[in-house]
Amino acid sequence: LGSGSSAARLLNLKLKMVDSQYYLPNEIGVASLDCSEAFRLLSPQEKMYAHYLSRAAWYGGLAVLLQTSPESADIFVLLQRIFRKQTPAQLEQVATTTGISSEEYQAFLVYAAGLYANMGNYKSFGDTKFIPNLPKDKLKALVKASQAFQDQPTEMEALWDSCSCLLYSLEDRQKQLGLGDKGITTYFSGNCSLEDAEMAQKFLDSKFLMQYMLFLFATVNCTVEGECESCCGSFNFEDKEFTVKRGDYAPLMEKVSYYLQQAQAYAANENQRKMLEEYSRSFTFGSVDAHKEGSRYWIKDKGPIVESYIGFIESYRDPFGSRGEFEGFIAVVNKAMSERFAKLVSSAEVLLPELPWPREFEKDTFLKPDFTSLDVLTFAGSGIPAGINIPNYDDIRQSEGFKNVSLGNVLAVAYATQKDKLTFLQEEDKDLFIKWKGPSFEVQVGLHELLGHGSGKLFVQDDMGKFNFDQSKVTNPETGEPVSSWYRGSETWDSKFSTIASSYEECRAECVGLYLCLIKQVLSIFGHEGQDAEDVVYVNWLSMVRAGLLGLEFYTAESKSWRQAHMQARFVILRVLLEAGEGLVGLEEVTGQDGKPDARITLDRSKIHTVGKNAIHRFLCKLQVLKATADVEGGRALYDLYSTVDDGSAHNFVRLRETVLLRKEARKMFVQANTRVSGDSVELVDYESSAAGLIRSFTERFQDDAEQLEADLLELCKRDAPCWC
C-alpha cells in the first residue's frame, strides 16, 4: 500500500507538472515598458512620426494571429468584442453572478492578456499552446452573460462555436507549433510535409523568389502566396504544378501602407521618406525586393532619434525555418547607453581578429553599423526581444551593412529576478547573480548582436560564376583541405540550413559573446574594471550555463524537437562546456528543501579563461567554417549531436527536463502604451502593470475601426479555414 500510494503521488505530480505547461499562472509577472521620459523629449514632428509608425506596426502585427494558429484570430475577435463593451472591472461583476470565483476570473484575464501579448494562443517563446485555467463551461457562461453577447447573441454564439473547441483542445498535435504530425502551423496547409517544403524551396530558388513573405498551401496544385506581378501564375516544376498568387492579409497590409504614407510627412530626412515609400510598396505588392530596397535606405539612416523596422522578419516559428513572421517596432534612442555601444562599434575591427577562425572566413570589410540602445515605444508581433541585428538578408548584410539595437527598457524589466525565485544555483552565487545579471547581459547582448550576427563570411558563387573568395588559396581549417562547398546563385543561409538555421546562428552569436567578453578592453567599454569585470564575466558564463539547463523546458520529448531557437542554442553550449570536463561545469540532481527533485549548476571561475575559452574556441570555429562553406550535412550532424536530449550520457537530461518543468517560472508579459493625436500634438497613454491593464491597452488600440477590423480578421480566418483540415 505504501509503495502504491507513493507511485500514485509521483504519477499525480508528473501529470500536474506536465499540465502546468499549458496554463499561464495567475501570478505571472506583468511589467510596463516605460517610454514616457524618452517620448516626452521628442519634438512635435518626431512624436507624429512615431505615432503613425506605431499605428502601422500594430495593424501589421495582427497578421501574426493568422500566422500562428487557425483559431487565434477568432479568439482575438471574441475577446475584443467582450472587452470593448465592458472593462475587466465591469465584467468581474458579471463573472461573480455566474458563479465564477475570483481566482477563476483572474485566470481568464491572464489568458486574455496572454493571447494579446503573444498575438495568438501559442507562447511566442517556446511555441507551446496555452489554454484558460478555468472550466470550459464556466467560460462559456461568462461569454453568454457578457454585454457583447446580450447585444449580438447570434454573432457571438457563432464566434464561440467557431473557436471554443480548439481554444481548449490539448490533443498531442495541438500542444505545440510544428509541421505535419509534429504540431500546428499556418505557414503550411495541413497536408504539407517536410518533403513538400523542400520541393517548394527548390521551386522558389529556380524562380529567384525569396521565402520571407510566402506561405505554402498544397491542394491538387500547390499555391505560394507573395512576391510581384511577373512571378504570379502557374508553373510546372519537376512534374509538380505550382500556382503563385498574392493578396493574403490584404486588409491589414492596406492599413499598414496607409499609416506608413502618413508617417512620410513627418520623416526627418530623405532616407526615411524613401524607406517608408519602399516599405509601403512592399506591403502593397507583396514584394520582397521592395522591402530589401527599404532596408537599404534604413541602413543609411544613421543615428535617428526615432528608430523603427517593420515587415516579415524573423523565421523562428516557420517549421522549415525560412518564412518570416510580421513584426514592427518603434523606439527612441537612449543616448547614454548608445555611447557605450558606439565605442564597441569603434573597437570592432580590433576585436574581430580575436575570433577563432582564419581571416579568409571573415567578411572582406567590416561595415560599421549603427548600434544604439533604444527605449521601446511600440513592439508589435508575437514577443519582444532584448536585442536585434537586422536586416536578415544575407546579401545586404555581407556587402552593404546592418544595424544593431539593444532594447534598454526591455532589459531593465525582463531580467529582473527575485532571490527566492532563482532556481538551480548555489546559495553563494545568488546575490552575485542578481547584482551582475543585468550588466552582464548588456555586455552579452552587445557582443551577440554586433560581433556575433555581424561577423563571419559566407562563401558564394554568383549566377555569373564569380566567386567571392579565392578557391586556390582558401583552406578549410578543420580538414586542411581546400574549401570544396559554397552557396550558389540564390541560395541563402536560411534556405540551405532551413530547420536548424535560426538556432545554429543564435548559438554562434552566443558563443561569440562568451568568447569576447573575456577581453578586458570589452569590459572596460561597458565601465567594468578589476574585480567587477571578473564578476561580470563569471555571471555571464554562469547565466549561459543555467540558461542551457532552463532550455529543457522548450524541448518536446514526444516529437524529439526543440520549440525555441535561443534556448536550444544555450542547451548546446551547456553540452559543449560539460564535455570540456576538468571540473569547469558541474551539474547534479539533488532534492530540494521542499522534498521535490531539484538540480544544481556550478561553474569553476578559475577555469573560464582556460578550459572554458578553449572549448568555445574549438566549437565556435567549427560552427563558422560549416556555415561559411554551406556544409549542411556537417553542420546538421554537429548541431544535432549537441542538441540531443537523452538519458544515456553522464547526465540524465530526460529526467532533468521534468525537474526544470516542475520549477519553471513563466516569462513576464509586457504592457505597452498607446499614442493618440490630440489637436496638433500626440499624447502618450499609459496603462497599469496588470493583466487588466494589458487588456485595456489592446481594446483601446483599435477603437477607430474596431467593427470593420474584426470583420476583416474573421473573413481572413474563414477564407483559409479549408487549408487546415
Side-chain angles (χ1 to χ4, degrees), residues 78-121:
L78 179 75
L79 294 173
Q80 286 289 89
R81 288 186 174 175
I82 289 171
F83 288 116
R84 276 199 294 112
K85 293 287 185 178
Q86 290 167 295
T87 66
Q90 290 168 337
L91 192 65
E92 185 170 15
Q93 297 171 8
V94 177
T96 303
T97 64
T98 59
I100 292 175
S101 70
S102 58
E103 290 80 11
E104 288 169 333
Y105 184 67
Q106 179 62 20
F108 168 60
L109 293 186
V110 164
Y111 175 79
L115 186 114
Y116 289 131
N118 292 279
M119 229 355 87
N121 59 338

Side-chain angles (χ1 to χ4, degrees), residues 111 134 372 466:
Y111 175 79
L134 75 160
T372 47
K466 184 181 176 183

Side-chain angles (χ1 to χ4, degrees), residues 702-716:
F702 305 104
Q703 288 182 111
D704 297 345
D705 57 352
E707 291 186 9
Q708 183 58 54
L709 178 65
E710 290 160 12
D712 288 340
L713 282 170
L714 293 177
E715 181 56 37
L716 288 170

Side-chain angles (χ1 to χ4, degrees), residues 94 98 139-147 149-150 157 160:
V94 177
T98 59
L139 179 54
K140 182 178 182 179
L142 178 60
V143 170
K144 289 201 164 189
S146 70
Q147 189 61 49
F149 196 96
Q150 306 309 309
E157 181 94 51
W160 170 259

Side-chain angles (χ1 to χ4, degrees), residues 50 53-54 57 306-309 328-332 375-379:
L53 286 178
S54 292
V306 177
E307 183 61 283
S308 66
Y309 198 62
F329 78 83
I330 297 85
V332 183
D375 284 344
V376 171
L377 169 65
T378 293
F379 205 114

Side-chain angles (χ1 to χ4, degrees), residues 237-249:
F237 179 78
E238 295 191 5
D239 297 325
K240 298 286 190 303
E241 192 72 24
F242 285 83
T243 302
V244 181
K245 61 183 183 181
R246 60 186 178 183
D248 229 358
Y249 312 150

